[in-house]
Amino acid sequence: MASHFPSIQSFYSREVASNGVNDSSSPTRVGDGFTASEVEALTNPLSRPFQPSRCYDVCTIAELQTGPHDYRITGRLVNFSSTGGPHRTPASPESCYFLVICDGTAAMAATAIAAENQAEIGHIPYCSVATTIYPGRNGATHIEFHVDQAGSEEDCSLRLPLEANTEKYEYLPGLMTLKSFLASGYDLGEGKILVCVQSVGPRRTIHPKKKEGTLGLVEVGIYDDTARCVMKLWQDKIPSAKSWVPNQTILLISRPSCRQYTSRQGGVNVEVGVGYSTIIDVDPDFPDAIWLRSKIQDMAKKRSIMVPFPADIWNLQSAMYGPNRTLYTLAELEDQARNRDPASNFTGKLSVVVYEMNLMEHWRRCTTYCNECCGIPLYANKPTAICKNCDSQRDLSLNPRVLGSFLDESGMIIGQKLIWNDEAWNQFLFGLPIEETTASHEQANPTQQSWKDIATFNTDSMRDLEMQLLYSRVTLTFGWSTELGRLCILGVEW
Ligand SMILES: [Zn+2]
């Protein structure tokens, strides 16, 4: 296939003696003086190794001197935009791209690809220098995009945010909680927020009211320990979110753009966006980010929708039927877990009464089964569901909240804190001996009914099951997990 840009010479054909051959667009034209590899290097510049011809002095951005020098700087891209219209309109292939690069000492701007004007960088914090990367005429300026392997030394480098570069770090100027930013902090225009990605939504197509055409949009849920909100990524910024992991990726956003609007329900909402002078540090490495990361782990433990049963900690057979079985009261269990031997994953038995059941309530709310995908809770009244974000089918577990609470003479356990083994659910739901039935005095669950089966129940049988379990006395075999700080139910005996 003929390339649209066969060579530099044809590109600037008027400036070069053409030897009478003017038809530069003809693919059959021969002998323009360039070898096939030279043409390839121009038409597909990323195919060649990065080997600038000159010597460049390695320099931090803060140390750059204006004037003719050969510097080599390395930094992270913290914002970019294209000149394809000021706000969200598509960029044409000839657009100028405007890149903002930070290396922890300062920021700089670079305009790239056929920029017509020298960069006018406007007001971007810490950004006082700019360079133009212009293919063709400016042969001395090059740009190389690195793809670092996750966890490598390069990947961990250059993650110190601007102004955090001090030996005795105390605080980052302008950093505020998301709550205070949303309340009024955005008025200042200078604020910084440190947030964790909560969810990355699906790509949507928006038809703007006042403009023709369509726009791509991805909504990223962000939160810290004080609030949560939505950050909108439009058009060519959408791919940036591709590598963001819900509940893991931390973003330091300096000068986010902010829009206040009234929702249909009448509430005032604030959404965050990436403006021209915004700087986003992805996974920044400084004390506040380390603090937020551990805070988020604590929060995740507390609000987690579904904690999977930890396999391979306990031998279920010996815990249930082995020689060393200790009967605990709830108070003794608490004492052992918190005070006496907090480091051990001990097991034992509890004799408790089912004090509260929420089976019907969750059935009505369609939250009988649950799981989490893409950082978003998934609920259903059947044991599978499709994640609305990634469209994949997920297996759900029985929602531990269907059991309200257990009670003994010394205390109470809230059901939502328990982590159930699948077999223990089967024994709990279907193991109770049924009184006054034709099945005489046999143990129930002879057909090995599963917790998945209640998805086929109608409302009446669900209510019957709930009434049957409520206020009955049951023996639980438990395991205390120190890693999770939770009580796991290994088995149930009636
Ligand atoms: Zn998903």
Side-chain angles (χ1 to χ4, degrees):
M1 201 181 98
S3 165
H4 292 294
F5 300 103
S7 71
I8 280 187
Q9 194 175 23
S10 61
F11 209 36
Y12 298 122
S13 54
R14 284 188 195 173
E15 295 176 4
V16 177
S18 62
N19 294 335
V21 184
N22 287 322
D23 185 9
S24 61
S25 65
S26 165
T28 57
R29 195 171 71 95
V30 291
D32 65 359
F34 291 93
T35 64
S37 62
E38 284 167 334
V39 173
E40 167 73 8
L42 186 78
T43 55
N44 184 13
L46 296 181
S47 68
R48 66 192 155 161
F50 186 72
Q51 283 173 333
S53 50
R54 302 188 188 187
C55 275
Y56 295 83
D57 296 328
V58 173
C59 186
T60 64
I61 296 175
E63 290 167 340
L64 292 175
Q65 304 283 323
T66 49
H69 297 279
D70 291 333
Y71 287 128
R72 178 187 184 123
I73 54 153
T74 308
R76 288 191 181 272
L77 207 55
V78 291
N79 195 356
F80 71 96
S81 52
S82 60
T83 51
H87 188 49
R88 302 169 182 176
T89 46
S92 66
E94 296 83 26
S95 294
C96 152
Y97 279 85
F98 180 80
L99 316 173
V100 185
I101 296 147
C102 269
D103 69 351
T105 67
M108 75 174 293
T111 52
I113 311 176
E116 285 185 1
N117 303 317
Q118 186 67 27
E120 288 178 11
I121 57 175
H123 190 61
I124 298 175
Y126 317 104
C127 200
S128 58
V129 285
T131 187
T132 308
I133 300 159
Y134 188 92
R137 302 199 181 188
N138 182 355
T141 310
H142 306 272
I143 186 164
E144 183 185 20
F145 291 93
H146 300 271
V147 182
D148 298 328
Q149 214 167 15
S152 66
E153 199 181 317
E154 292 79 15
D155 189 47
C156 299
S157 67
L158 294 165
R159 293 200 181 267
L160 189 71
L162 292 170
E163 293 190 298
N165 188 15
T166 51
E167 291 287 298
K168 290 176 191 157
Y169 175 83
E170 281 178 11
Y171 65 96
L172 195 64
L175 184 62
M176 53 181 83
T177 64
L178 187 55
K179 191 177 179 180
S180 46
F181 178 80
L182 296 176
S184 62
Y186 57 86
D187 282 342
L188 302 172
E190 305 275 336
K192 299 186 180 86
I193 48 174
L194 183 68
V195 292
C196 183
V197 172
Q198 183 181 24
S199 59
V200 179
R203 189 193 168 101
R204 286 160 49 201
T205 303
I206 304 293
H207 301 271
K209 282 177 199 154
K210 292 174 188 164
K211 296 193 195 90
E212 286 192 8
T214 59
L215 298 171
L217 168 67
V218 160
E219 293 190 336
V220 178
I222 53 173
Y223 71 105
D224 69 0
D225 58 318
T226 64
R228 53 197 64 221
C229 76
V230 163
M231 176 167 75
K232 290 190 170 177
L233 295 181
W234 295 91
Q235 295 289 87
D236 47 11
K237 291 200 177 61
I238 290 174
S240 306
K242 218 173 168 181
S243 59
W244 296 355
V245 183
N247 300 320
Q248 273 187 35
T249 303
I250 303 251
L251 307 174
L252 173 66
I253 312 175
S254 308
R255 292 175 177 244
S257 71
C258 209
R259 194 174 75 88
Q260 205 180 32
Y261 64 98
T262 310
S263 70
R264 278 180 208 157
Q265 289 79 29
V268 176
N269 289 336
V270 184
E271 70 184 31
V272 168
V274 185
Y276 179 77
S277 57
T278 302
I279 285 181
I280 298 190
D281 289 276
V282 179
D283 284 327
D285 184 11
F286 74 117
D288 288 286
I290 295 167
W291 177 86
L292 182 63
R293 210 174 281 282
S294 78
K295 183 79 191 169
I296 274 156
Q297 280 169 1
D298 288 351
M299 287 162 67
K301 260 188 209 167
K302 283 195 186 117
R303 70 169 164 79
S304 175
I305 299 300
M306 190 65 230
V307 182
F309 186 83
D312 305 329
I313 295 187
W314 304 284
N315 181 332
L316 299 195
Q317 277 300 316
S318 72
M320 290 268 299
Y321 311 111
N324 299 315
R325 291 168 288 161
T326 313
L327 185 66
Y328 286 80
T329 66
L330 289 173
E332 287 165 351
L333 163 63
E334 167 106 13
D335 184 47
Q336 169 106 8
R338 306 281 174 210
N339 308 320
R340 241 181 274 167
D341 190 7
S344 101
N345 291 319
F346 63 99
T347 66
K349 302 222 176 210
L350 291 165
S351 177
V352 289
V353 168
V354 178
Y355 185 64
E356 198 187 346
M357 286 294 298
N358 299 328
L359 200 49
M360 286 304 294
E361 186 193 330
H362 285 282
W363 185 253
R364 264 185 239 113
R365 284 160 47 186
C366 288
T367 53
T368 310
Y369 297 92
C370 66
N371 203 345
E372 223 173 303
C373 188
C374 303
I376 303 167
L378 279 179
Y379 293 106
N381 272 358
K382 54 184 171 46
T384 55
I386 309 281
C387 170
K388 287 195 183 100
N389 189 43
C390 67
D391 276 338
S392 56
Q393 180 169 313
R394 295 279 162 193
D395 289 333
L396 308 188
S397 304
L398 196 57
N399 190 343
R401 291 157 194 81
V402 300
L403 191 144
S405 56
F406 283 129
L407 201 68
D408 76 359
E409 61 281 7
S410 70
M412 186 198 249
I413 314 178
I414 305 298
Q416 74 173 58
K417 299 227 167 179
L418 301 173
I419 303 170
W420 288 74
N421 181 19
D422 280 352
E423 189 52 34
W425 268 134
N426 301 343
Q427 292 160 348
F428 177 69
L429 295 169
F430 301 111
L432 181 65
I434 300 163
E435 294 161 31
E436 298 167 21
T437 62
T438 49
S440 70
H441 297 291
E442 278 178 45
Q443 278 285 105
N445 203 17
T447 52
Q448 285 299 309
Q449 279 181 284
S450 149
W451 54 271
K452 292 182 183 174
D453 295 344
I454 60 169
T456 64
F457 278 24
N458 60 25
T459 308
D460 283 345
S461 36
M462 196 64 91
R463 186 178 295 116
D464 286 349
L465 179 63
E466 178 161 304
M467 297 316 290
Q468 199 187 352
L469 293 168
L470 195 61
Y471 305 127
S472 48
R473 180 168 279 276
V474 63
T475 302
L476 306 175
T477 304
F478 69 83
W480 172 258
S481 162
T482 50
E483 289 82 25
L484 300 169
R486 295 278 193 103
L487 198 64
C488 303
I489 306 298
L490 314 185
V492 174
E493 290 153 283
W494 291 97

